[in-house]
Amino acid sequence: MALGTGAYNGLATVDVWTLLVGQTPAFATQTDSTQLFAALGVGIMAMPAWVVFGLSGFLLIHACRKRRARRRVIRSAA
């Protein structure tokens, strides 16, 4: 789909999700809290795939980066 010869129509996240998982995501709408999560999920799935996967990749790189060890100075009470 992404490498087709036609005009560029960006892929939605739901399209990439369907290609990777094999089924479209189903959101439960039974209670008020799940309705909020369902609305959030539908909004995220409608976004372009490069935005969602790019942002999640950036967050993972930032969270899992190698950090320098901090030097701790122990001061004795004098």
Side-chain angles (χ1 to χ4, degrees), residues 17-30:
W17 182 274
T18 303
L19 288 172
L20 292 175
V21 177
Q23 63 184 7
T24 58
F27 299 106
T29 57
Q30 296 172 353

